[in-house]
Amino acid sequence: MRMTDSPASRIAANLRAIREARGLSVVALAERSGVGRATLTNLEAGRGNPTIDTLYALADALGAALGDLIGEPARTRVEVVRAGAGTRVEGAVSARLLDRVRGQRLAEFYEVEFATTARHADPHPAGVTESLLVVAGRLRVGPLTEPAELGPGDFIRFPGDVPHLYQAIGGPARGVLVMAHP
């Protein structure tokens, strides 16, 4: 892998391009996202190891999808993502971007690993919905006002534009998450 192909350099290039396309300065994006200016400067320089919460804060402040920050540009008409491959983000929730589908809406597909540490997610932009299929383990997930407990094979769809929760129950859990953006 060339240095320009590293996740840090890809995030740096994508973040800078989106911020500039929105006409925002580093200071303005820092204020809008709640991410420190020094952290933002380091990320745009390809330094640092951002958490998933930092990346979501930046994506939400930019009116962009997480995949816009971490994704690679499509190189061919046929894309295969092998097990274990793909851009990963780590934190209380670790996720691997599987695909992005554009049409009427943007849909992002993630393979997600959930830890027993609860992740309280801030609302995404208006109209975002999340759909999750649990493939292993047990999980408490959904809007903070009405989370559901799910097991393998269970599916949930909920509004992502409200505060929501992800937490594995009794050990790690895995699932496939689809984030649909308006």
Side-chain angles (χ1 to χ4, degrees):
M1 175 185 322
R2 296 186 327 250
M3 180 58 178
T4 57
D5 292 335
S6 73
S9 63
R10 188 171 42 253
I11 289 168
N14 292 343
L15 178 59
R16 186 178 319 103
I18 296 167
R19 179 183 58 74
E20 290 174 352
R22 303 289 194 273
L24 294 173
S25 67
V26 170
V27 172
L29 180 56
E31 290 173 359
R32 190 181 279 191
S33 67
V35 173
R37 188 178 67 163
T39 299
L40 188 51
T41 300
N42 281 332
L43 290 176
E44 284 197 3
R47 297 185 303 268
N49 187 18
T51 66
I52 192 167
D53 293 321
T54 298
L55 292 171
Y56 268 123
L58 291 168
D60 290 349
L62 289 165
L66 177 64
D68 292 335
L69 294 179
I70 68 173
E72 297 181 45
R75 291 185 172 86
T76 64
R77 288 176 14 117
V78 177
E79 295 281 329
V80 175
V81 179
R82 300 286 181 200
T87 304
R88 293 190 63 85
V89 290
E90 305 287 334
V93 172
S94 299
R96 177 172 66 109
L97 178 63
L98 298 174
D99 194 12
R100 303 179 75 212
V101 178
R102 292 194 185 271
Q104 292 286 13
R105 300 171 61 130
L106 166 65
E108 297 180 316
F109 294 75
Y110 292 93
E111 176 184 36
V112 185
E113 297 170 12
F114 301 95
T116 54
T117 303
R119 177 174 189 273
H120 294 267
D122 290 329
H124 300 294
V128 170
T129 59
E130 297 191 23
S131 301
L132 175 72
L133 173 66
V134 178
V135 297
R138 298 201 50 76
L139 189 64
R140 183 175 298 110
V141 62
L144 287 179
T145 58
E146 53 184 315
E149 289 192 13
L150 307 174
D154 291 342
F155 173 84
I156 187 173
R157 178 180 299 118
F158 62 90
D161 56 3
V162 299
H164 49 286
L165 165 76
Y166 291 102
Q167 183 177 21
I169 302 169
R174 290 186 309 116
V176 176
L177 175 71
V178 178
M179 291 189 63
H181 300 262

